[in-house]
Amino acid sequence: MSVSTSAIPTPKVRTGPLPGDGYAYLNWAIPHLRSNPKDDQTRLMAIREYLSLHLVQPARELMDQWAGASSQAQELRELRCVIQKLQGGPTAWSRFGMQYEANLAVLERRGLNVIAIREQWEKACGSYQVFMDRNGLPQVRRRNCDGFWEWMPQLGNHRADDNARPLPDDIGSKMPGPYLFDGLGWGGFFERVYAATVDTFLGYSCALYALEPKTEWLAVLLHLHDWTKQLSDPRVLMSFGEECLDQLRKAWDADVDLPWPNRAFSIGAGAGESRAVRMVQEAGAVREQAIRDSLGRIEEQYAARDLHYWAHRFEEATNGAGGPLRILAAVSTHTSFLQHSMRDARRALEALGHEVRVLTEDRPFTIIGPLTYHAAIRDFDPDVFFMLDHLRPECGSIIPRNLPILTWD
């Protein structure tokens, strides 16, 4: 659709952004007109800016709110004639229905409560409208409790804004992240971070914790984006609704190998200090205390095993008088040479009659946590801890002091 308003004179704007700035001018003018409904000079310019963006219905609504006689009366009457000949309402949400259903199907397969999303959207969808502007960008508005339409979060080139946002400075390293999104905003930045963190080093792809406290806004995003790939990836842990922080904390409690995020992005509708950051700090403090308590217990388990104990234990294991050595080993899946070296070492140790267990990550976004090491030590009661390319000072939180370590670099 091509809209021409060149026949309408352009009055001088006294305050606010200059006309022609499109999004910026309208973001200033709309709240200004609510407080100054008789400012027909601004109203005329706002109508022209809406039409320049091909947002006809919002322009028509501004015209319908025109108070009456003013110095711009003739121009406004002429503009009314122009608008009456134009068509351009909101895009039906049903146009995005297939995309919405495909995204929901992925979330449902992941075990998320999609019924809550559906129910919330059914209640809220009548309060949301989406328009496709001149630039082919969706612009979403919501009717607030006072009955006014508000652009979410404002009119703008959201794609350009998300593309201009700098990526985390550790992207480009071998193992960046993990990252936490405290609100998804328009979703473009989430998409960019996801794409930049796929298989960054020997199969490693960092965890992405995506929180969206506003379920109805998540429903909007699931209409406007094809996220079937991102949402089906196990490293994307999605939580939504008022309980999203509790959901994420329960996920960390249930899986002690899920790493903590090293960066959080607050790009949702809320402002101020991130509640998610505070939750991570609190959960981290609880985890650190649990690690200290657990380490204390396995320190007690090995407290009496001094040099004489180990000399006797190793002598019996090697001369056949006692049971074979129990060897607990660890190696990362995000290696190549070390994995082959550990495989060969395990085969050699087992050929000598010793019992070997190897800890390694079971998913590309997890890291073996101290509590996993502690559980293995309590269960297996090893005589030796075996690792490659790491030394005892790096193991202070995972290995009791009296457990012998075999290693080489």
Side-chain angles (χ1 to χ4, degrees):
M1 177 183 66
S2 177
V3 178
S4 175
T5 57
S6 58
I8 307 302
T10 302
K12 182 179 179 181
V13 179
R14 296 186 298 274
T15 59
L18 294 174
D21 285 348
Y23 303 124
Y25 184 84
L26 287 165
N27 287 326
W28 167 82
I30 302 309
H32 169 80
L33 286 171
R34 289 177 188 162
S35 304
N36 303 274
K38 295 183 179 180
D39 185 355
D40 287 332
Q41 181 182 12
T42 297
R43 185 176 303 279
L44 174 61
M45 289 309 309
I47 292 170
R48 288 172 58 87
E49 294 294 337
Y50 267 140
L51 291 179
S52 73
L53 289 170
H54 297 181
L55 299 174
V56 176
Q57 180 168 313
R60 185 178 291 117
E61 292 167 357
L62 276 187
M63 175 62 73
D64 293 342
Q65 296 163 10
W66 172 35
S70 71
S71 59
Q72 278 76 41
Q74 179 61 31
E75 290 87 350
L76 285 164
R77 281 193 292 270
E78 292 175 5
L79 191 52
R80 184 187 296 276
C81 294
V82 173
I83 293 176
Q84 288 174 344
K85 300 175 183 178
L86 301 175
Q87 295 181 351
T91 301
W93 288 107
S94 58
R95 173 184 169 185
F96 309 100
M98 291 183 63
Q99 192 162 273
Y100 178 58
E101 292 298 330
N103 285 325
L104 286 180
V106 170
L107 290 177
E108 188 170 32
R109 288 194 293 272
R110 295 283 304 276
L112 274 74
N113 182 13
V114 299
I115 294 176
I117 301 176
R118 290 187 186 279
E119 291 178 346
Q120 186 66 29
W121 181 242
E122 287 174 2
K123 294 177 183 177
C125 64
S127 299
Y128 282 84
Q129 291 181 334
V130 58
F131 296 82
M132 304 305 294
D133 70 12
R134 177 191 64 197
N135 301 310
L137 297 171
Q139 304 292 340
V140 174
R141 65 179 187 174
R142 178 180 64 89
R143 193 186 295 276
N144 65 21
C145 57
D146 296 323
F148 294 116
W149 286 107
E150 293 180 329
W151 295 104
M152 300 292 290
Q154 60 182 6
L155 286 164
N157 189 334
H158 310 296
R159 183 184 302 156
D161 293 342
D162 280 341
N163 287 339
R165 188 182 182 104
L167 289 171
D169 53 17
D170 63 336
I171 284 185
S173 64
K174 291 180 178 179
M175 300 179 73
Y179 305 114
L180 184 147
F181 296 84
D182 185 13
L184 290 166
W186 273 87
F189 186 65
F190 164 70
E191 292 178 352
R192 289 178 61 214
V193 172
Y194 176 87
T197 54
V198 174
D199 194 9
T200 55
F201 182 66
L202 297 175
Y204 175 78
S205 297
C206 71
L208 302 177
Y209 304 107
L211 304 179
E212 182 45 68
K214 298 184 179 298
T215 303
E216 58 196 55
W217 183 249
L218 175 60
V220 169
L221 296 177
L222 297 179
H223 280 85
L224 301 179
H225 296 279
D226 178 3
W227 280 352
T228 51
K229 177 181 178 181
Q230 291 88 342
L231 297 177
S232 63
D233 192 332
R235 73 186 180 104
V236 175
L237 286 89
M238 171 72 74
S239 304
F240 62 87
E242 295 180 356
E243 305 300 321
C244 63
L245 294 179
D246 290 336
Q247 294 168 15
L248 179 56
R249 185 157 187 169
K250 288 177 181 177
W252 275 320
D253 289 342
D255 188 346
V256 296
D257 290 340
L258 274 181
W260 303 107
N262 66 13
R263 192 77 54 84
F265 311 107
S266 297
I267 53 178
E273 185 181 1
S274 168
R275 292 191 307 129
V277 170
R278 295 199 303 274
M279 183 277 287
V280 172
Q281 293 170 339
E282 292 167 0
V286 171
R287 174 71 60 79
E288 288 302 317
Q289 184 60 52
I291 291 171
R292 287 192 291 271
D293 293 343
S294 177
L295 181 61
R297 289 192 293 272
I298 61 173
E299 289 284 8
E300 292 177 1
Q301 179 179 336
Y302 282 81
R305 302 181 189 183
D306 57 12
L307 182 64
H308 298 291
Y309 171 89
W310 289 119
H312 180 69
R313 173 74 181 102
F314 277 78
E315 183 179 0
E316 284 193 336
T318 53
N319 65 20
L325 290 175
R326 297 181 298 274
I327 302 173
L328 180 65
V331 66
S332 174
T333 59
H334 311 301
T335 65
S336 52
F337 179 80
L338 293 186
Q339 284 195 81
H340 288 90
S341 298
M342 181 60 73
R343 177 203 62 191
D344 295 344
R346 178 176 189 171
R347 289 174 178 173
L349 290 166
E350 290 177 339
L352 292 171
H354 304 303
E355 185 178 356
V356 182
R357 293 186 187 178
V358 178
L359 297 178
T360 192
E361 301 93 348
D362 59 353
R363 288 152 295 168
F365 55 91
T366 58
I367 297 174
I368 307 172
L371 292 176
T372 296
Y373 284 102
H374 297 175
I377 291 169
R378 283 194 299 271
D379 175 63
F380 189 42
D381 195 27
D383 302 302
V384 177
F385 182 70
F386 174 45
M387 60 181 173
L388 300 170
D389 207 27
H390 295 279
L391 304 176
R392 181 180 282 277
E394 302 173 61
C395 304
S397 66
I398 63 175
I399 303 299
R401 289 185 294 271
N402 281 359
L403 173 60
I405 289 181
L406 171 63
T407 186
W408 67 81
D409 190 347

